[in-house]
Amino acid sequence: MIQALSDAQRRDWLRLVRTENVGPVTFAQLIARFGEPSLALAALPDLARRGGRTASLKVPGVAEAERELAAGEALGARMLAACEPAFPLPLAALDPPPPLLWARGDTRILSRPAVAIVGARVASAAAQRFARGLAAELGRAGFVVVSGMARGIDAAAHEGAMATGTVAVLGGGVDDVYPPEHRTLYDRILEAGCVVSENEPGRIAVARDFPRRNRIIAGLSRAVVVVEAELRSGSLITARLAGEQGREVLAVPGSPLDPRARGTNDLLRQGAAICEGVDDVLRALEGLRGFEAPGATPYRDPTPEPDDGLRKRLADLLSPTPVSRDELVRATGAPAPMVFAALTELALAGRAELLPGGMVARI
């Protein structure tokens, strides 16, 4: 569904995004079911009650949404809804996409092909030099470089791409400069490209924000290059998400004596492409197809409403271990749209978590 939103629709879109227990998957299911955010907002209390919730669902009011919009406007930032033409196509092609992005800087850069470069925060000097040089070469080849503005490899990648364009994806709001010593780097990125976040302006990042941030880094990019990473590293999360999204994953080999190379060497063992320079990235991208715009969304799904029996069966089938929605459809024997509707109700009630990739877990 590609459309420009009116002011009222934009406000309702934002309210639905910020509603308690509404993540990207639940948001997508609600829009598919009701078509309009205003209709979904009106249905929320009843849906949550059906899912077993007794307390009131926390839904931002109109004034709260207007305050967030005003805060973004005061920063010179722009809210991009996933249904709008200006929303980055690679992100819109995700299943599901983040419902919105706040963008500060030159948003036109988001329409250009991009490659992400990520890696260790405490990176070796050699790895930082490689990341800086690779970013510069990718820029000369016509690519925007995406990273997370962290210390080490991220900062080096942004620096290398400063002359040709770079995008920083933040865990907090678009005005949350972290680490604080990157204020000058942040200001330069605003001049040379764009800073984006799915969180509201003014938000300070917490730990749970960074996996979502990493999903956006991968989603904006045609390929992700990991330069240095230990085995337990956020960069490996970005690489895994990129693989799940159908992006190319490349890794820079390193010395087995350096713990910072264990993650990248393990990626290579798992089948990631080797990256020793820009030619490897360009070769990996040769056969990559472009991204297609998402299809039209029905105004309202005519599927019959799920009943209490189906909700109970689904709740009993769920566990903390994620399971695919398709498996739940097979286990219940109910029509898939009805199962998805029931799972949305359980999610709104706080009894289930709908995860990207069609997975569901009990909370």
Side-chain angles (χ1 to χ4, degrees):
M1 177 177 65
I2 303 297
Q3 65 177 84
L5 298 179
S6 66
D7 289 344
Q9 288 173 322
R10 178 176 299 275
R11 188 178 58 223
D12 288 341
W13 189 280
L14 178 58
R15 291 178 63 206
L16 186 59
V17 171
R18 302 298 185 219
T19 295
E20 181 185 13
N21 296 336
V22 175
V25 181
T26 304
F27 182 93
Q29 290 294 323
L30 289 169
I31 293 298
R33 186 169 175 181
F34 295 100
E36 287 283 342
S38 60
L39 298 178
L41 286 167
L44 285 178
D46 189 48
L47 295 177
R49 180 191 57 77
R50 292 184 202 174
R53 186 181 178 92
T54 55
S56 298
L57 195 67
K58 296 177 182 177
V59 181
V62 171
E64 192 172 343
E66 289 178 342
R67 280 195 296 272
E68 179 173 340
L69 291 168
E73 184 177 349
L75 290 170
R78 179 180 177 188
M79 190 193 102
L80 306 175
C83 65
E84 294 183 305
F87 195 81
L89 188 54
L91 270 188
L94 294 186
D95 183 21
L100 66 80
L101 279 184
W102 277 103
R104 191 178 183 194
D106 184 3
T107 59
R108 294 172 299 178
I109 199 173
L110 298 174
S111 65
R112 292 170 49 192
V115 172
I117 299 176
V118 296
R121 286 174 170 80
V122 185
S124 67
Q128 292 184 57
R129 184 176 67 250
F130 180 91
R132 195 177 300 111
L134 179 64
E137 290 178 318
L138 285 168
R140 287 192 288 270
F143 290 93
V144 172
V145 171
V146 179
S147 200
M149 214 180 80
R151 298 181 179 96
I153 298 301
D154 287 20
H158 289 307
E159 288 281 0
M162 207 65 74
T164 52
T166 186
V167 174
V169 185
L170 305 188
V174 288
D175 54 343
D176 180 28
V177 180
Y178 185 84
E181 64 265 26
H182 281 180
R183 166 58 68 179
T184 299
L185 176 64
Y186 174 91
D187 291 339
R188 292 176 63 205
I189 292 171
L190 285 182
E191 294 177 2
C194 193
V195 175
V196 302
S197 171
E198 63 179 326
N199 285 322
E200 63 272 20
R203 180 185 173 104
I204 304 300
V206 295
R208 67 175 180 272
D209 292 322
F210 290 101
R212 295 167 58 198
R213 184 276 305 264
N214 294 345
R215 184 171 185 260
I216 294 176
I217 290 175
L220 283 170
S221 309
R222 295 172 178 242
V224 170
V225 182
V226 185
V227 179
E228 247 181 9
E230 297 194 19
L231 284 173
R232 297 178 64 85
S233 165
S235 299
L236 299 188
I237 295 175
T238 307
R240 175 179 59 79
L241 293 169
E244 292 173 356
Q245 295 168 5
R247 274 54 169 172
E248 295 294 328
V249 178
L250 299 95
V252 178
S255 168
L257 302 178
D258 189 341
R260 292 169 295 194
R262 289 177 182 166
T264 49
N265 289 345
D266 191 56
L267 284 175
L268 293 170
R269 279 191 290 269
Q270 295 177 38
I274 190 170
C275 179
E276 296 179 312
V278 69
D279 289 342
D280 291 320
V281 181
L282 299 179
R283 192 177 304 113
L285 291 174
E286 282 178 356
L288 186 67
R289 295 177 56 192
F291 301 104
E292 297 180 0
T297 300
Y299 184 73
R300 182 176 174 88
D301 191 336
T303 302
E305 300 287 349
D307 56 27
D308 289 339
L310 177 59
R311 295 186 196 96
K312 184 179 186 307
R313 291 202 303 277
L314 287 168
D316 290 342
L317 287 167
L318 293 177
S319 76
T321 302
V323 63
S324 75
R325 294 183 303 181
D326 292 342
E327 185 62 35
L328 294 172
V329 170
R330 283 191 289 269
T332 60
M338 191 180 293
V339 170
F340 299 164
L343 289 172
T344 300
E345 293 169 4
L346 292 174
L348 289 170
R351 300 172 63 193
E353 184 178 10
L354 306 188
L355 303 167
M359 307 297 286
V360 189
R362 188 182 71 207
I363 296 177

